[in-house]
Amino acid sequence: MLHWLVSQSIFLARVDVIVPDGFGNEAEMPGISTCGYSPMAMIFVIILGSIVVLLGICFGFRKSKGGMPLAGSCSAAISAACHPPEADVDASMKRIIWGVVAEDCFQYEGESVGHCSFTSFKVEAPVVGKRYAGL
């Protein structure tokens, strides 16, 4: 929407002038190419652009609800969160939730490591200080 408004704010205009000569003929004068503008569209672009920026700032100050940690661009964490239990078939057609799906996947340095993922099964909340695969 904003892109369309910008295109309506500043645009190219070509004016071709045709002058009748009085004998039924028309003489063409050289055309004029110029840049046109619309103040109303510019005002709307400024207003809408400001609203978009302010909304972005306001949403940036909102606190994230607890639960799933933000993985950002860590592909290992994203991959781990997207590997549900094998028995969870048709999860794409059901309501899903993120949480601990397996308490003891494997042992690491003598400590059991759990697994967190999206699933349609019942889950438990992760325990602070316990190790989980991919996080």
Side-chain angles (χ1 to χ4, degrees):
M1 176 86 175
L2 193 61
H3 179 268
W4 179 80
L5 277 173
V6 170
S7 73
Q8 299 303 308
S9 302
I10 302 173
F11 51 89
L12 292 176
R14 170 120 178 121
V15 179
D16 290 323
V17 180
I18 300 175
V19 180
D21 64 358
F23 298 107
N25 299 326
E26 295 176 343
E28 253 188 71
M29 303 290 285
I32 300 169
S33 292
T34 185
C35 185
Y37 64 95
S38 170
M40 184 63 79
M42 288 180 180
I43 291 169
F44 280 123
V45 165
I46 291 169
I47 291 170
L48 191 60
S50 298
I51 290 171
V52 167
V53 169
L54 288 173
L55 282 175
I57 291 170
C58 289
F59 282 127
F61 281 113
R62 283 184 45 184
K63 289 273 187 190
S64 176
K65 292 181 181 176
M68 182 176 173
L70 301 176
S73 61
C74 178
S75 60
I78 295 169
S79 174
C82 294
H83 285 87
E86 290 183 18
D88 193 7
V89 293
D90 296 330
S92 62
M93 306 302 276
K94 301 174 185 173
R95 179 172 229 120
I96 60 171
I97 190 169
W98 182 87
V100 178
V101 293
E103 284 293 331
D104 301 317
C105 288
F106 58 91
Q107 294 288 322
Y108 178 76
E109 295 181 354
E111 187 179 344
S112 66
V113 177
H115 179 69
C116 296
S117 176
F118 289 106
T119 183
S120 60
F121 296 153
K122 290 201 180 272
V123 297
E124 295 179 20
V127 177
V128 176
K130 184 170 174 21
R131 291 182 185 251
Y132 296 97
L135 297 178

